[in-house]
Amino acid sequence: MTRAFNFSPGPAALPEAVLEQAQAELLDYRGTGHSVLEMSHRSSEFIEIAASAEADFRELLGIGGDYHVLFLQGGATQQFALVPMNLAAAGDTADYIHTGSWGTKAIKEASQLVRVHVAASSEKQSFTCVPPASEWRLTPNAAYCHITTNETIGGVQFHDYPDVGAPLVADMSSEILSRPVDVSRFGLIYAGAQKNIGPAGLVVVVVRKDLAGKARPGTPSILDYAVHAAEDSMFNTPPTFAWYLAGLVFAWVKAEGGVAEMARRSARKAGRLYAAIEASNFYTAPVAKADRSLMNVPFTLADATLDAAFLAGAEERGLKNLKGHRSVGGMRASLYNAVTEAAVDALVGYMQEFEAERG
Ligand SMILES: *Cc1c(COP(=O)(O)O)cnc(C)c1O
């Protein structure tokens, strides 16, 4: 068996040790004689799996008892609607900081449910930076302020989380667990699992307890944070296997040294790749240096007609899923926690080789 170096933006690479453990436990989960896939979510075995996953996640991010942690379905996309439905009344204003494609979708969805005020945007800069906080036009008494801490497509990341008066809401789908976070500065954090947590089909929501329980009248139960919180995310059948696998990833992150260690590795991995891009006259990174993502690194070749040859050569060397998003073009290397430093070395080596031959 040869495992490729996988730079997929999501669903993305998972730690090999986690996949091996899931494989070893697949048919007979720890002597129970059946698979996690076949288990009732009400069984004592699964309740233990669920609780220990939550405990490890709370420990990794230092989440206090004043926050609910929910394991839900519907992806991060569903949260684009749940946030306004639960945190704002129809006539309220919510501020959005617009730094890329995921923010665009969050804004579009929220606009149907709340008065959206785009308090700052880098659209004029083609989403290649985070607008400086001094230029934000925040609304006094906004219901909340929404940011996308890492724009997965554009490769733009907030390296400092802002201070705003309203509850800060963050889509952290593509950076969660890659660095320490002071959760107490946020009203709500959500993250689709398929980037840094586990399989697709799961979204983790961290919501301050006083913000749950205010869903607008008419909100269906299944879209109400307070309902899920009261039922320990088992209001209906949760995505059990994804939750289990997320738990294995949390245990892996802990064993590897926690989010501080993930941050050190991310800085080394991204640092090496950006340095290689900077050192070359052939590759270009479009994002402003101060706002470059450590998770998703878009770059272009000096001659776009070589893109296909670059990708074909990468594929031959087992470097997979490097094609950039169609809205940005070029390449994108996603460097989530499970992407090893060896994978980055292999990529940088290939880039140098390709430039020497074709550049
Ligand atoms: C992937 C992603 C999403 C969408 O996640 P789904 O699970 O497909 O709904 C939203 N926001 C960001 C920042 C993402 O990276």
Side-chain angles (χ1 to χ4, degrees), residues 101 105 152-154 322-332:
S101 311
K105 293 188 175 173
T152 319
I153 291 172
L322 285 163
K323 190 171 168 39
H325 191 270
R326 59 190 181 280
S327 65
V328 177
M331 309 298 148
R332 171 179 42 166

Side-chain angles (χ1 to χ4, degrees), residues 133-187:
S134 58
E135 292 171 12
W136 296 14
R137 299 273 173 271
L138 296 169
T139 307
N141 304 317
Y144 60 86
C145 176
H146 182 281
I147 61 174
T148 309
T149 57
N150 183 68
E151 278 285 359
T152 319
I153 291 172
V156 171
Q157 189 168 24
F158 282 78
H159 292 296
D160 297 302
Y161 299 125
D163 281 314
V164 293
L168 185 60
V169 172
D171 178 355
M172 290 198 185
S173 294
S174 50
E175 68 152 60
I176 192 122
L177 300 179
S178 71
R179 57 165 159 166
V181 179
D182 179 359
V183 171
S184 70
R185 293 179 57 189
F186 293 83

Side-chain angles (χ1 to χ4, degrees), residues 9-10 74-78 80 102-103 148-153 171-174 190 192-195 200-203 296 336:
T77 302
Q78 191 172 82
F80 296 163
W102 289 111
T148 309
T149 57
N150 183 68
E151 278 285 359
T152 319
I153 291 172
D171 178 355
M172 290 198 185
S173 294
S174 50
Y190 61 94
Q194 70 273 26
K195 281 63 184 247
L202 172 73
V203 59
N296 309 97
Y336 302 124

Side-chain angles (χ1 to χ4, degrees), residues 191-263:
Q194 70 273 26
K195 281 63 184 247
N196 240 347
I197 289 181
L202 172 73
V203 59
V204 180
V205 178
V206 180
V207 56
R208 216 173 63 207
K209 285 182 176 169
D210 64 294
L211 295 173
K214 293 185 197 159
R216 61 184 63 187
T219 299
S221 314
I222 198 158
L223 304 181
D224 185 337
Y225 294 134
V227 171
H228 288 293
E231 302 280 345
D232 293 329
S233 305
M234 297 201 197
F235 170 65
N236 69 327
T237 314
T240 51
F241 196 76
W243 194 336
Y244 153 76
L245 213 103
L248 297 185
V249 170
F250 301 153
W252 176 82
V253 174
K254 270 176 64 175
E256 294 290 306
V259 291
E261 174 61 15
M262 295 299 123

Side-chain angles (χ1 to χ4, degrees), residues 4-338:
F5 293 125
N6 183 5
F7 299 96
S8 172
L14 285 163
E16 209 164 288
V18 164
L19 295 176
E20 279 166 354
Q21 190 179 346
Q23 182 181 48
E25 294 178 341
L26 186 67
L27 272 73
D28 177 8
Y29 178 75
R30 303 184 192 178
T32 59
H34 65 331
S35 173
V36 175
L37 286 161
E38 303 167 305
M39 236 175 233
S40 166
H41 58 297
R42 310 276 179 210
S43 65
S44 57
E45 291 93 351
F46 188 77
I47 287 171
E48 161 61 24
I49 288 169
S52 69
E54 181 181 334
D56 283 346
F57 182 76
R58 282 181 178 276
E59 186 183 326
L60 282 166
L61 290 181
I63 301 172
D66 47 342
Y67 286 80
H68 297 299
V69 174
L70 308 175
F71 290 80
L72 307 177
Q73 307 190 37
T77 302
Q78 191 172 82
Q79 297 306 311
F80 296 163
L82 262 64
V83 165
M85 289 174 93
N86 281 268
L87 268 49
D92 285 352
T93 298
D95 285 338
Y96 279 72
I97 310 301
H98 192 192
T99 53
S101 311
W102 289 111
T104 304
K105 293 188 175 173
I107 287 167
K108 187 169 177 225
E109 190 72 355
S111 296
Q112 306 187 78
L113 296 155
V114 70
R115 288 173 207 264
V116 167
H117 174 243
V118 178
S121 171
S122 55
E123 190 166 13
K124 285 209 182 84
Q125 291 80 33
S126 305
F127 300 124
T128 53
C129 61
V130 175
S134 58
E135 292 171 12
W136 296 14
R137 299 273 173 271
L138 296 169
T139 307
N141 304 317
Y144 60 86
C145 176
H146 182 281
I147 61 174
T148 309
T149 57
N150 183 68
E151 278 285 359
T152 319
I153 291 172
V156 171
Q157 189 168 24
F158 282 78
H159 292 296
D160 297 302
Y161 299 125
D163 281 314
V164 293
L168 185 60
V169 172
D171 178 355
M172 290 198 185
S173 294
S174 50
E175 68 152 60
I176 192 122
L177 300 179
S178 71
R179 57 165 159 166
V181 179
D182 179 359
V183 171
S184 70
R185 293 179 57 189
F186 293 83
L188 187 148
I189 294 168
Y190 61 94
Q194 70 273 26
K195 281 63 184 247
N196 240 347
I197 289 181
L202 172 73
V203 59
V204 180
V205 178
V206 180
V207 56
R208 216 173 63 207
K209 285 182 176 169
D210 64 294
L211 295 173
K214 293 185 197 159
R216 61 184 63 187
T219 299
S221 314
I222 198 158
L223 304 181
D224 185 337
Y225 294 134
V227 171
H228 288 293
E231 302 280 345
D232 293 329
S233 305
M234 297 201 197
F235 170 65
N236 69 327
T237 314
T240 51
F241 196 76
W243 194 336
Y244 153 76
L245 213 103
L248 297 185
V249 170
F250 301 153
W252 176 82
V253 174
K254 270 176 64 175
E256 294 290 306
V259 291
E261 174 61 15
M262 295 299 123
R264 285 189 285 273
R265 291 181 192 176
S266 294
R268 284 201 297 271
K269 287 186 291 181
R272 213 170 294 164
L273 181 49
Y274 284 119
I277 293 168
E278 289 300 315
S280 114
N281 294 318
F282 183 69
Y283 303 106
T284 308
V287 175
K289 272 188 190 164
D291 304 322
R292 284 180 179 171
S293 169
L294 304 190
M295 293 284 101
N296 309 97
V297 180
F299 62 93
T300 53
L301 279 52
D303 177 359
T305 64
L306 293 174
D307 284 4
F310 180 90
L311 287 166
E315 192 74 35
E316 267 169 35
R317 287 161 181 78
L319 304 163
K320 295 188 92 73
N321 298 315
L322 285 163
K323 190 171 168 39
H325 191 270
R326 59 190 181 280
S327 65
V328 177
M331 309 298 148
R332 171 179 42 166
S334 295
L335 309 179
Y336 302 124
N337 287 344

